[in-house]
Amino acid sequence: QVQLVESGGGLVQPGGSLKLSCSASGFTLDNYYIGWFRQAPGEEREGVSSISRRGSRIYYADSVKGRFTVSRDNTKNMMYLQMNSLKPEDTAVYYCAATPFEVPGFNPARWRYWGQGTQVTVSS
């Protein structure tokens, strides 16, 4: 059974940090482009970051550049999102995703597998 499971979300103060993890099972992650998306209440799902199979191509949304770092460990079938200098506007449910497409962009329709999401709340 194909599954992606996120962990690491929670409540953090502005300026704080969180590291999200995503564990893949039922398929080999190194055959897939992987990414992180988020969705705030009343908003559309938006792409946050993506990373190619071997990590040579990495993309970030402008809103998180310089603050977030995406990474993957194909040996463990895991991916990560390190989030620093968090802002209240980063509050959302964060999803990990995987797709067999090359350079899929941040169009959710081009991503095949999704996690169930983990809540990140940035508030004082």
Side-chain angles (χ1 to χ4, degrees), residues 26-78:
F27 68 108
T28 304
L29 200 57
D30 62 4
N31 291 330
Y32 289 78
Y33 224 97
I34 60 174
W36 291 92
F37 290 74
R38 67 187 181 185
Q39 189 167 17
E43 302 289 333
E44 292 187 352
R45 190 168 297 189
E46 64 171 353
V48 174
S49 182
S50 66
I51 182 169
S52 59
R53 289 170 177 76
R54 298 294 178 260
S56 58
R57 287 174 291 185
I58 296 176
Y59 300 95
Y60 294 101
D62 288 342
S63 57
V64 307
K65 281 180 182 176
R67 300 187 298 121
F68 289 12
T69 302
V70 66
S71 61
R72 64 191 299 164
D73 186 339
N74 290 338
T75 66
K76 296 181 179 179
N77 238 25
M78 296 284 295

Side-chain angles (χ1 to χ4, degrees), residues 17 40 66 94:
S17 298
Y94 282 72

Side-chain angles (χ1 to χ4, degrees), residues 5-12 16-23 36 78-83 86 92-96 116-122:
V5 179
E6 302 96 339
S7 61
L11 173 64
V12 64
S17 298
L18 281 175
K19 184 175 184 178
L20 305 183
S21 300
C22 178
S23 173
W36 291 92
M78 296 284 295
M79 58 178 148
Y80 308 95
L81 185 68
Q82 176 68 46
M83 306 184 295
L86 282 161
V93 177
Y94 282 72
Y95 300 88
C96 60
Q116 82 289 350
T118 185
Q119 177 69 46
V120 171
T121 303
V122 185

